[in-house]
Amino acid sequence: MRIATWNVNSIRQRLENLCAWAKERQPDVVCLQETKITDDAFPRGELESLGYNLAVHGQKTFNGVAILSKFPLEDVTIGLPGDPSDDHARFIEAVVVHPGGAVRVASIYLPNGNPVASEKYPYKMNWMDRLYDYASERLKLEEDLILAGDYNVIPAPEDVHNPAAWAEDALFRPPTREKFRALTHLGLTDAIRATSDAEGLYTFWDYQAGAWQKNWGIRIDHLLLSPRAADRLTAAGIDKHVRNWEKPSDHVPVWIDLKVDAA
């Protein structure tokens, strides 16, 4: 089973690229972030024609998450628990039922947190605390669990082209990285780092300052796997070439392959 995550930065703008990439990579499950569209306007027809079932949680002009699956989706949950007042469309979870069993998948769009001196950074920190609590509870179920998405977290210096330039950014500040480490220390595996310790494995390049052309990238899109799912991991990759397509997102898809039981 191939599971991917991609911050498309507006599904209206990126629908052609999404469909082209889906035909090329053939993912079974796709977690999308920053769809920036309401549920009623989501381009269901185009994606259903590719064989996907859809679970969407949208919002007009910003945020928005979705799960596409070639297998049935059950037990869809919208919104990260822990703060009923938080109305941002940043979290959706579903159980993907395949012939050999089931995989629980969440699509996550974690807050950016900049500027740090504003209320946005405490919101990010609180959101990460809620994600920690959610993951703690889910891991008790001992399921195949995938937490996929745009975490807006640069985990380590090898995940950024110039660590010094990002030292005070909300994505790389020590408190941010500490909360991400705490999450992984629950028993979650960072799929990309489980398969490679290479530098230069980036998933985002800013539109400004020629970042793509200079390869000034950062790795902020992650797939975190529960112990059961990590045992099934056979491959992981970053589709960097998609950043070079016409009208690209500033993020690229990240994917994993899992060996699942036959029916």
Side-chain angles (χ1 to χ4, degrees):
M1 175 182 287
R2 180 164 292 161
I3 301 174
T5 183
W6 191 5
N7 179 326
V8 290
N9 191 9
S10 174
I11 198 166
R12 288 187 194 273
Q13 298 295 321
R14 245 58 73 179
L15 182 59
E16 185 175 335
N17 283 1
L18 173 59
C19 292
W21 168 79
K23 291 173 184 176
E24 174 188 286
R25 179 55 67 187
Q26 290 293 315
D28 298 296
V29 180
V30 185
C31 296
L32 300 177
Q33 301 87 41
E34 275 202 283
T35 54
K36 298 182 178 180
I37 198 168
T38 56
D39 293 355
D40 60 335
F42 198 89
R44 293 176 175 272
E46 292 89 337
L47 297 168
E48 288 172 345
S49 71
L50 296 178
Y52 290 108
N53 301 297
L54 309 179
V56 301
H57 178 32
Q59 200 168 341
K60 188 175 181 180
T61 71
F62 64 103
N63 298 331
V65 286
I67 299 174
L68 321 180
S69 173
K70 291 186 176 178
F71 301 105
L73 291 170
E74 297 183 358
D75 193 21
V76 176
T77 301
I78 288 172
L80 182 66
D83 184 356
S85 68
D86 184 3
D87 60 357
H88 287 202
R90 295 184 175 274
F91 181 93
I92 188 168
E93 175 198 86
V95 174
V96 177
V97 182
H98 59 84
V103 180
R104 187 181 296 273
V105 177
S107 181
I108 293 165
Y109 178 43
L110 205 146
N112 178 286
N114 284 305
V116 171
S118 73
E119 74 285 352
K120 293 183 178 181
Y121 193 64
Y123 172 61
K124 180 189 186 88
M125 294 289 95
N126 178 261
W127 212 95
M128 295 186 80
D129 288 339
R130 289 161 55 199
L131 182 60
Y132 179 95
D133 292 342
Y134 155 84
S136 298
E137 291 302 310
R138 281 287 181 248
L139 286 167
K140 292 176 183 177
L141 301 176
E142 298 186 354
E143 299 173 312
D144 292 330
L145 172 68
I146 314 293
L147 304 182
D150 175 3
Y151 280 73
N152 271 313
V153 175
I154 304 168
E158 55 266 29
D159 298 311
V160 52
H161 75 282
N162 181 359
W166 290 80
E168 290 304 316
D169 192 280
L171 280 62
F172 195 53
R173 294 186 78 228
T176 305
R177 294 158 59 196
E178 287 167 10
K179 287 189 183 293
F180 186 82
R181 278 197 300 274
L183 187 63
T184 59
H185 287 169
L186 287 171
L188 294 167
T189 295
D190 178 346
I192 290 296
R193 283 300 171 211
T195 57
S196 175
D197 59 2
E199 295 184 1
L201 297 177
Y202 305 141
T203 65
F204 171 94
W205 296 260
D206 198 280
Y207 290 127
Q208 307 299 319
W212 166 245
Q213 291 77 9
K214 299 171 184 175
N215 198 31
W216 289 354
I218 56 177
R219 189 174 74 93
I220 57 175
D221 302 270
H222 310 299
L223 293 111
L224 302 187
L225 282 56
S226 69
R228 275 184 55 122
D231 287 345
R232 301 181 189 275
L233 180 66
T234 60
I238 300 170
D239 283 341
K240 181 178 178 179
H241 67 284
V242 175
R243 184 63 173 81
N244 213 35
W245 288 0
E246 295 270 338
K247 294 197 298 185
S249 170
D250 40 9
H251 298 251
V252 296
V254 185
W255 56 269
I256 58 172
D257 285 344
L258 302 181
K259 183 179 180 181
V260 296
D261 298 330

